[in-house]
C-alpha cells in the first residue's frame, strides 16, 4: 500500500477522520480510559494541603514529559506528580564543575603569552556542553534541570561567539542560573548581564564611555575607543522589558554608557568578571526609560534592578514560561496568572513556576513538539544511557541543527512547534533513535513503553502498536517506540 | 529573459538568501566616491580600486568588497546588480522584529512567513512527491512557517538511509498530521537529494549546492530559501567579514555552476534585516542601523548596475544622524521579482506583504 493510499484509508477511519488535519499537528485528546489522569484538568491546583492527589500513571507520565525529559528506567516513578514537581523547587541541586577562573585559565594563559591554548579552550566548551546534557539525561530532578535549560536559553548563551564566552558559558549556568533560580529575577538578570559569558558574547568587554580615562588615552594614541551597544540593546530587548516597552535609541545608548566598565579580568587570578572604572564615564547621569542613574558601577546595578522588576519584564518572562512549557500560543489568562505571581512576589521565580504548574492548561494534553535537544535527552533517558565517553551528545545535537549553548542569535532557540518539525528535522530524529539504540543495552520494548508513553498513547496508537511490535525485532521495536508521535511531544 | 507581469513564468526558479544579523551595506558595496565615506568609515573603508587587494569597481562610485571576486565577474557579465540604501519599513533596529518583518511582512514573530503563503500562489511542483517551496536550513525559520506544507532539507546531520523500522513509523505517524507529512516529505527528499562528496567544508556553500540541486530536480521545487547568520559584526568587523564574504562568493559561484542551464531562468536575492551604523563603534565594528545594500543575481536579470538613489553620508543626510538613510524598499524589490519572474499576480502581493505597493521596482529585468 502506498503512502497516499494509507492516508486516504485513514482519513476515512471513523476514529481518526474527524480529527485528522494534514496541515498541522493534531492532538488527539485521549479518552479517560487511557488517560485517567485527565480528570486533573478540572481539578484546581491544591488550595489546601492534600486536596488534590493525582496518582494515576497518566498524570505522572504527563508531568514527566511536560515538565521534565521523560522517565528513566533506573528511577522509580513518582507517585504524586504535583508533589514530585514542587519537591524539585525546594533547593538548588548542586552540580560540580570547574570555577570560572579555572575555565578562563587556558585563554588567559594564551593572551598572556603562554602559547597556543585554542584546543584547551575548545575542550572546556565541549565538555561543559556535554556535562550539561548528561546532567539532564541522568538527573532525578528533571523539572529543575528543564528550568535551568529554560533560563540558559532565555539568556541566549552563545558559546561560539568567542573564546571568553566559550570558556565561561558552563560557569554561567552554575554561578548565575543554578545560584539564582530560586531567587528574584532581577538578581539573576544582574548576575547574568555582568557575567563574562554575556559580557564577552555581546561584546561589552571592550566597550568604554567616550570620555572615560581609558578611551581618551587610546584616542590620543590614534586607536578606536568608544561604546559598543550590543549588550545594552539585548539587555533591554531580550533580557528585560522588550521592544514593547517603547524605549528609543537614546535609552540604548544610555544603557551602554552605564554598562561600560563591565569587562573581564584576564590579568591576575582569579580570572572573571570585573568592573573597570577607567572604562566608565564616572561623572554625569544616564537616563534609561525615564529614570536617571549615575554613570558608575552602582548606577548600572540600579538600572538592572529597575529593569528586572519592571511589569514589562514580568509579562515577557511569564509569556516565555507559558510558551516553553504549555503552548505555542498560550492563553492570555494563563500568562496573566504567572505575571501576577511575579508581580506580587517582587519577581520571585519560584512563585512564577508554582503558578505555571497550577494552570489548568498545564494538565491538558501535550501539544508542543520536543526540540532536537529535548528529543535526544529524552531518548537517552528512555533507554537508560549513563555518561559514556564514547558518546558526545553535544556533537550529535550540533549535527542535528541545535548546538548546545550556541544558538545563532542572542534570543536563543525558537520554542515553536513549526521550527522543529520540518522533514529534515524529523528524519534526523529517526536517525538519532537508530543511533542511540546501538549505543547502550537495548531495553525490553514492553518495559520501555510502560515506563515512558504507554499511559499517553492515543487510541489509534494503542490499537495499532502491539501487532507492529510483535512483528519487529527488539531493537526495531525500541526504535519504533522512540519515534512514536506521542514520544515526540512535550 | 525579462518577464512581464502575468507572462509565462513556468519553469522559472527563485532563491532567497537571508544574510542574518544585519548586513553592513557600506562594507558590502562601498561608496568610495562619496566625499564623506573615507572619513566616516576609517579602518572599515577598503583599499582604493585598482590597487592590490583593493575594492572591485562597480562603475566609478561604488566598489565591491575585495573578497567578492565571483560576484564581481557576474556583475560585469550583467548577471548581478546591487540596490543600495534599501531597507524594510521597520525601524526598530531589533534583529528579531526586523527579521520578523523581512520574513513575514509583519512585526510579529508568530505571523505566517511569506514563503509559506507563496506555496499557494505559485504552480504546484509537477511531481506531487515534492513541495514547490523548499527550505535548506537545519530548522524551519519564520519565512516558511505557516499552514502550508513546505519542504526542508539540509546539509550536515546524520546520513539518512532507509531502516526497517520506518515501516512502523509510516503506519504510526498517521495519527499526527504534520509528523506524517514531514516523514513522507523527508523520505522523498532523502532519496532525491543524495549528499555530494568533495564539497568545500563550508555550510553555506553546501547549502547553496543543496538548493541548486533541489531546484534542478525534474518536477521538483522551484523556490528555495537559504540563510547565513554571521553578519552581526559589532566588533572586529574587517577580520570577521572577510571570510564570510569569501564564503558567500563561493556559495554564489556554486549556485551558478550547479544550476547549469537553469541559471538562465533563475533569480537570487541576497538581503538582510537592517544595515549598520555609518560610524565605526568603539570596538572596530558597527552597531544596528537602518539601510543596507541588497544584491539580485541570476541569468534572468538585467544586471551590471547599482540601483537605488544614493542618499549621501553628510550629517544632514543620515537617518537620525546615525544610519544610512533608506531610499528603496526591500519589499518593492521582492514584490517586483515575485510578480515579474515567479508569476505571482499583483492582487496577491498584499497577502505576502500587507500594505506593500505593487508598483514595479525599475531596472531589475
Amino acid at each position: 500500500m502506498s503512502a497516499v493510499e494509507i492516508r486516504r484509508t485513514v482519513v476515512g477511519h471513523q476514529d481518526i477522520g474527524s480529527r485528522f488535519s494534514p496541515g498541522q499537528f493534531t492532538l488527539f485528546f485521549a479518552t479517560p480510559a487511557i488517560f485517567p489522569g485527565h480528570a486533573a484538568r478540572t481539578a484546581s491546583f491544591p488550595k489546601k494541603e492534600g486536596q488534590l492527589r493525582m496518582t494515576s500513571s497518566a498524570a505522572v507520565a504527563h508531568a514527566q514529559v511536560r515538565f521534565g525529559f521523560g522517565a528513566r528506567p533506573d528511577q522509580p516513578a513518582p507517585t504524586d506528580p504535583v508533589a514530585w514537581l514542587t519537591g524539585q523547587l525546594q533547593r538548588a541541586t548542586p552540580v560540580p564543575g570547574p570555577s570560572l577562573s579555572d575555565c578562563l585559565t587556558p585563554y588567559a594563559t594564551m593572551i598572556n603569552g603562554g602559547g597556543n591554548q585554542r584546543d584547551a579552550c575548545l575542550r572546556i566548551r565541549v565538555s561543559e556542553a556535554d556535562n550539561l546534557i548528561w546532567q539532564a539525561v541522568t538527573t532525578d530532578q528533571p523539572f529543575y534541570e528543564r528550568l535551568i535549560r529554560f533560563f540558559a536559553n532565555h539568556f541566549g548563551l552563545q558559546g561560539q561567539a568567542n573564546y571568553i564566552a566559550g570558556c565561561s558559558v558552563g560557569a554561567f549556568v552554575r554561578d548565575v542560573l543554578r545560584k539564582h533560580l530560586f531567587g528574584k529575577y532581577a538578581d539573576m538578570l544582574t548576575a547574568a548581564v555582568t557575567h563574562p559569558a554575556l559580557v564577552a558574547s555581546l561584546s561589552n568587554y571592550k566597550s568604554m564611555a567616550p570620555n572615560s580615562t581609558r578611551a581618551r588615552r587610546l584616542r590620543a594614541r590614534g586607536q578606536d575607543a568608544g561604546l559598543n551597544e550590543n549588550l545594552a540593546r539585548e539587555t533591554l530587548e531580550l533580557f528585560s522589558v522588550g521592544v514593547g516597552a517603547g524605549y528609543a535609541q537614546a535609552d540604548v545608548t544610555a544603557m551602554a554608557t552605564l554598562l561600560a566598565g563591565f569587562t573581564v579580568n584576564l590579568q591576575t587570578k582569579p580570572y572573571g568578571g570585573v568592573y573597570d572604572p577607567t572604562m566608565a564615564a564616572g561623572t554625569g547621569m544616564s537616563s534609561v526609560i525615564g529614570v536617571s542613574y549615575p554613570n558608575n558601577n552602582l548606577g548600572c546595578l540600579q538600572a538592572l534592578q529597575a529593569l528586572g522588576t519592571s511589569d514589562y519584564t514580568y509579562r515577557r518572562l511569564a509569556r516565555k514560561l507559558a510558551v516553553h512549557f504549555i503552548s505555542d500560543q498560550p492563553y492570555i489568562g494563563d500568562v496573566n496568572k504567572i505575571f501576577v505571581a511575579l508581580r506580587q512576589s517582587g519577581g520571585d521565580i519560584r512563585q512564577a513556576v508554582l503558578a505555571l504548574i497550577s494552570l489548568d492548561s498545564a494538565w491538558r494534553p501535550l501539544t508542543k513538539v520536543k526540540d532536537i535537544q529535548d528529543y535526544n535527552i529524552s531518548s537517552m533517558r528512555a533507554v537508560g544511557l549513563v555518561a559514556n565517553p564514547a558518546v558526545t551528545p553535544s556533537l550529535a545535537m550540533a549535527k542535528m541543527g541545535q548546538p548546545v549553548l550556541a544558538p545563532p542569535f542572542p534570543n536563543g532557540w525558537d520554542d515553536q512547534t513549526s521550527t522543529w518539525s520540518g522533514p529534515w528535522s524529523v528524519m534526523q530524529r529517526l536517525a538519532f533513535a537508530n543511533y542511540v539504540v546501538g549505543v547502550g543495552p537495548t531495553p525490553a520494548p514492553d518495559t520501555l513503553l510502560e515506563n515512558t508513553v504507554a499511559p499517553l498513547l492515543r487510541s489509534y496508537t494503542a490499537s495499532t502498536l502491539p501487532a507492529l511490535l510483535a512483528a519487529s525485532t527488539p531493537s526495531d521495536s525500541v526504535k519504533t517506540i522512540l519515534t512514536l508521535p506521542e514520544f515526540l511531544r512535550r | 529573459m525579462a518577464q512581464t507581469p502575468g507572462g509565462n513564468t513556468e519553469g522559472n526558479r527563485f532563491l532567497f538568501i537571508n544574510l542574518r544579523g544585519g548586513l553592513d551595506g557600506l562594507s558590502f558595496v562601498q561608496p568610495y566616491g562619496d566625499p564623506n565615506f573615507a572619513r566616516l568609515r576609517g579602518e572599515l573603508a577598503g583599499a582604493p580600486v585598482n590597487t592590490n587587494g583593493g575594492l572591485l569597481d562597480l562603475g566609478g562610485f561604488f566598489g565591491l568588497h575585495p573578497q567578492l571576486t565571483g560576484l564581481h565577474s557576474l556583475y560585469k557579465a550583467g548577471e548581478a546588480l546591487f540596490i543600495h540604501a534599501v531597507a524594510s519599513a521597520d525601524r526598530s533596529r531589533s534583529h528579531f522584529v526586523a527579521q520578523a518583518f523581512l520574513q513575514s511582512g509583519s512585526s510579529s514573530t508568530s505571523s505566517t512567513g511569506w514563503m509559506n503563503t507563496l506555496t499557494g500562489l505559485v504552480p504546484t511542483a509537477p511531481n506531487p512527491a515534492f513541495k514547490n517551496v523548499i527550505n535548506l536550513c537545519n530548522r524551519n525559520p519564520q519565512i516558511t512557517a505557516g499552514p502550508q506544507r513546505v519542504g526542508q532539507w539540509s546539509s550536515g546531520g546524520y546520513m539518512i538511509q532507509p531502516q526497517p523500522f520506518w515501516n512502523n513509523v509510516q503506519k504510526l505517524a498517521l495519527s499526527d498530521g504534520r509528523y506524517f507529512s514531514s516523514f513522507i516529505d523527508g523520505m522523498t527528499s532523502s532519496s532525491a537529494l543524495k549528499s555530494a562528496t568533495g564539497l568545500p567544508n563550508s555550510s553555506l556553500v553546501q547549502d547553496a549546492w543543496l538548493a541548486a540541486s533541489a531546484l534542478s530536480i525534474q518536477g521538483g521545487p522551484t523556490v528555495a530559501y537559504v540563510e547565513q547568520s554571521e553578519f552581526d559584526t559589532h566588533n572586529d568587523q574587517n577580520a570577521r567579514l572577510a571570510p564570510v564574504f569569501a564564503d558567500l562568493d563561493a556559495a554564489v559561484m556554486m549556485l551558478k555552476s550547479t544550476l547549469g542551464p537553469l541559471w538562465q531562468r533563475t533569480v537570487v536575492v541576497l538581503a538582510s534585516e537592517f544595515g549598520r551604523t555609518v560610524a565605526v563603534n568603539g570596538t572596530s565594528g558597527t552597531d544596528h542601523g537602518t539601510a543596507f545594500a541588497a544584491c539580485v543575481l541570476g541569468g534572468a536579470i538585467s544586471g551590471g548596475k547599482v540601483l537605488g538613489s544614493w542618499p549621501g553620508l553628510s550629517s544632514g543626510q543620515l537617518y537620525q544622524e546615525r544610519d544610512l538613510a533608506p531610499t528603496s524598499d526591500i519589499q518593492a524589490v521582492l514584490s517586483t521579482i515575485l510578480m515579474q519572474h515567479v508569476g505571482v499576480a499583483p492582487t496577491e502581493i498584499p497577502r505576502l506583504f500587507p500594505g506593500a505597493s505593487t508598483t514595479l521596482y525599475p531596472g531589475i529585468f
Side-chain angles (χ1 to χ4, degrees):
Chain A
M1 198 187 267
S2 77
V4 174
E5 282 166 338
I6 291 172
R7 193 163 145 195
R8 201 172 292 128
T9 313
V10 168
V11 169
H13 191 281
Q14 225 272 313
D15 180 26
I16 302 184
S18 58
R19 303 142 167 170
F20 188 80
S21 154
Q24 56 186 8
F25 268 117
T26 317
L27 182 81
F28 292 176
F29 206 108
T31 60
I34 56 167
F35 193 116
H38 101 298
R41 284 184 304 130
T42 50
S44 56
F45 194 71
K47 294 188 180 77
K48 296 182 203 126
E49 186 68 27
Q51 185 181 9
L52 179 77
R53 283 286 178 267
M54 286 175 292
T55 53
S56 76
S57 59
V60 167
H62 176 95
Q64 286 178 310
V65 174
R66 185 183 292 289
F67 294 113
F69 311 96
R72 272 190 71 91
D74 53 6
Q75 292 172 0
T79 49
D80 179 331
V82 172
W84 178 69
L85 293 172
T86 53
Q88 296 178 52
L89 305 178
Q90 300 312 311
R91 57 181 177 80
T93 307
V95 175
S99 71
L100 173 61
S101 182
D102 286 351
C103 290
L104 287 168
T105 295
Y107 183 67
T109 305
M110 182 160 80
I111 62 163
N112 293 322
N116 185 345
Q117 302 286 333
R118 289 189 180 89
D119 286 349
C121 293
L122 194 64
R123 273 198 302 277
I124 287 177
R125 197 184 139 204
V126 171
S127 82
E128 293 277 21
D130 280 330
N131 289 343
L132 189 67
I133 298 304
W134 285 124
Q135 180 65 21
V137 170
T138 57
T139 183
D140 61 357
Q141 308 273 298
F143 183 35
Y144 170 82
E145 208 57 31
R146 271 284 292 280
L147 289 165
I148 292 296
R149 297 175 58 75
F150 168 83
F151 279 103
N153 195 55
H154 170 70
F155 287 109
L157 292 175
Q158 293 181 284
Q160 80 280 26
N162 49 47
Y163 286 115
I164 302 175
C167 289
S168 55
V169 284
F172 181 102
V173 172
R174 289 184 290 276
D175 301 344
V176 175
L177 304 182
R178 296 195 193 279
K179 183 172 171 198
H180 291 283
L181 183 64
F182 299 136
K184 298 291 172 74
Y185 179 70
D187 296 335
M188 183 189 273
L189 172 74
T190 303
V193 168
T194 56
H195 190 278
L198 284 183
V199 164
S201 69
L202 294 175
S203 36
N204 197 70
Y205 62 114
K206 290 181 186 165
S207 177
M208 51 194 104
N211 60 343
S212 64
T213 317
R214 191 143 156 224
R216 277 180 304 193
R217 203 161 56 214
L218 285 172
R219 270 200 308 274
R221 284 193 245 143
Q223 286 175 267
D224 260 350
L227 292 175
N228 180 316
E229 65 185 40
N230 199 5
L231 179 63
R233 184 179 295 279
E234 305 309 8
T235 294
L236 292 170
E237 177 172 350
L238 300 177
F239 312 145
S240 65
V241 295
V243 284
Y247 53 84
Q249 176 61 41
D251 297 299
V252 176
T253 309
M255 192 67 218
T257 305
L258 291 168
L259 281 167
F262 284 96
T263 183
V264 185
N265 159 36
L266 295 165
Q267 300 307 315
T268 51
K269 285 195 175 188
Y271 307 123
V274 69
Y275 185 78
D276 179 351
T278 69
M279 298 166 82
T283 58
M285 310 277 278
S286 290
S287 171
V288 179
I289 318 187
V291 182
S292 287
Y293 305 94
N295 286 330
N296 55 34
N297 187 354
L298 197 62
C300 185
L301 299 181
Q302 285 169 348
L304 290 171
Q305 279 293 326
L307 292 170
T309 52
S310 157
D311 279 359
Y312 284 105
T313 302
Y314 291 156
R315 199 168 283 286
R316 287 188 65 250
L317 186 58
R319 187 166 198 284
K320 280 186 92 166
L321 280 164
V323 167
H324 180 74
F325 284 100
I326 312 286
S327 160
D328 285 357
Q329 299 288 336
Y331 297 123
I332 300 281
D334 285 353
V335 173
N336 211 42
K337 284 177 186 153
I338 305 172
F339 163 72
V340 168
L342 280 167
R343 192 178 203 213
Q344 290 182 342
S345 64
D348 187 322
I349 297 169
R350 187 191 276 117
Q351 294 305 317
V353 174
L354 285 169
L356 171 78
I357 62 177
S358 67
L359 296 172
D360 282 356
S361 44
W363 300 94
R364 294 207 182 101
L366 308 165
T367 61
K368 290 182 71 88
V369 156
K370 293 169 184 170
D371 62 21
I372 294 289
Q373 292 182 7
D374 279 7
Y375 176 76
N376 288 12
I377 290 167
S378 62
S379 306
M380 291 190 281
R381 283 179 71 89
V383 300
L385 225 57
V386 290
N388 172 353
V391 181
T392 312
S394 67
L395 217 61
M397 292 168 185
K399 267 169 82 148
M400 296 168 71
Q402 200 183 16
V404 180
L405 299 177
F409 295 101
N411 60 340
W413 297 107
D414 187 291
D415 240 344
Q416 300 288 304
T417 292
S418 67
T419 305
W420 303 106
S421 46
W424 184 82
S425 301
V426 163
M427 300 313 275
Q428 289 298 310
R429 287 183 184 75
L430 302 195
F432 188 77
N434 197 47
Y435 162 79
V436 81
V437 171
V439 172
T442 306
D446 289 350
T447 317
L448 170 70
L449 187 63
E450 209 49 50
N451 281 345
T452 56
V453 289
L456 302 175
L457 295 185
R458 301 159 178 170
S459 56
Y460 173 79
T461 309
S463 60
T464 314
L465 186 61
L468 294 175
L469 295 188
S472 302
T473 64
S475 155
D476 280 349
S477 293
V478 170
K479 293 170 193 173
T480 301
I481 294 164
L482 295 180
T483 52
L484 284 173
E486 291 87 343
F487 194 87
L488 268 52
R489 297 258 164 213
R490 67 164 170 78
Chain B
M1 183 81 50
Q3 302 288 347
T4 52
N8 174 21
T9 57
E10 198 177 326
N12 280 357
R13 303 294 196 270
F14 173 60
L15 173 67
F16 182 63
I17 303 183
N18 188 351
L19 308 180
R20 299 190 65 162
L23 168 68
D24 184 41
L26 296 179
S27 284
F28 183 39
V29 178
Q30 307 196 9
Y32 69 85
D34 188 290
N36 294 299
F37 178 71
R39 172 182 62 83
L40 288 168
R41 295 296 280 187
E43 60 187 303
L44 299 187
V49 295
N50 301 323
T51 61
N52 192 20
L55 296 172
L56 309 167
D57 198 21
L58 300 176
F61 185 84
F62 295 106
L64 199 56
H65 190 281
Q67 293 293 334
L68 298 165
T69 51
L71 209 45
H72 191 236
S73 67
L74 295 179
Y75 172 90
K76 286 194 288 192
E79 295 183 340
L81 62 82
F82 302 91
I83 301 163
H84 221 313
V86 66
S88 77
D90 177 73
R91 295 287 177 270
S92 65
R93 297 192 184 100
S94 152
H95 291 300
F96 315 107
V97 175
Q99 272 292 342
F101 204 90
L102 182 66
Q103 297 191 37
S104 75
S106 138
S107 299
S108 162
T109 50
S110 57
S111 303
T112 295
W114 61 264
M115 278 201 165
N116 188 281
T117 308
L118 187 63
T119 60
L121 306 179
V122 297
T124 312
N127 180 342
F130 291 97
K131 305 289 150 294
N132 50 11
V133 176
I134 188 165
N135 153 42
L136 288 313
C137 305
N138 55 20
R139 60 195 180 284
N140 277 339
Q142 187 179 4
I143 198 167
T144 57
Q148 307 289 328
R149 280 167 66 175
V150 174
Q152 181 208 17
W153 206 247
S154 178
S155 53
Y158 286 99
M159 291 275 287
I160 303 300
Q161 285 166 329
Q163 303 291 333
F165 80 99
W166 285 15
N167 292 325
N168 295 342
V169 172
Q170 183 159 343
K171 295 191 179 83
L172 291 160
L174 279 168
S175 71
D176 197 323
R178 188 178 289 186
Y179 181 24
F180 183 76
S181 55
S182 285
F183 172 68
I184 296 297
D185 292 350
M187 284 202 296
T188 306
S189 293
S190 69
S191 59
L193 289 166
K194 294 295 178 199
S195 47
T197 51
L199 289 178
N201 183 25
S202 142
S203 60
L204 184 64
V205 177
Q206 292 178 12
D207 288 349
W209 177 84
L210 206 56
S213 304
L215 294 173
S216 303
I217 294 171
Q218 190 74 31
T222 54
V223 174
Y225 174 82
V226 165
E227 68 179 38
Q228 143 70 281
S229 304
E230 301 290 325
F231 289 92
D232 193 20
T233 47
H234 284 278
N235 59 304
D236 307 317
Q237 179 168 301
N238 280 342
R240 287 175 60 183
L241 272 185
V244 172
F245 279 142
D247 208 32
L248 183 63
D249 200 60
V252 163
M253 299 319 280
M254 175 63 81
L255 271 177
K256 178 172 174 164
S257 63
T258 311
L259 282 167
L262 261 183
W263 175 253
Q264 294 308 319
R265 311 198 60 134
T266 298
V267 172
V268 184
V269 173
L270 314 180
S272 187
E273 69 262 39
F274 50 60
R276 310 192 69 84
T277 48
V278 171
V280 186
N281 71 9
T283 52
S284 304
T286 47
D287 292 327
H288 301 183
T290 305
F292 60 95
C295 174
V296 181
L297 52 123
I301 67 157
S302 170
K305 52 203 170 193
V306 181
L307 300 175
S309 148
W310 180 243
L313 293 174
S314 67
S315 58
Q317 293 169 322
L318 299 183
Y319 175 71
Q320 294 184 346
E321 299 177 26
R322 159 186 168 111
D323 305 338
L324 183 64
T327 56
S328 293
D329 183 352
I330 190 65
Q331 284 187 346
V333 174
L334 289 166
S335 301
T336 297
I337 292 162
L338 291 171
M339 289 186 286
Q340 293 201 279
H341 180 74
V342 184
V344 176
T347 50
E348 304 284 11
I349 290 296
R351 290 180 58 192
L352 303 171
F353 304 120
S357 155
T358 51
T359 306
L360 294 178
Y361 191 92
I364 298 174
F365 294 100

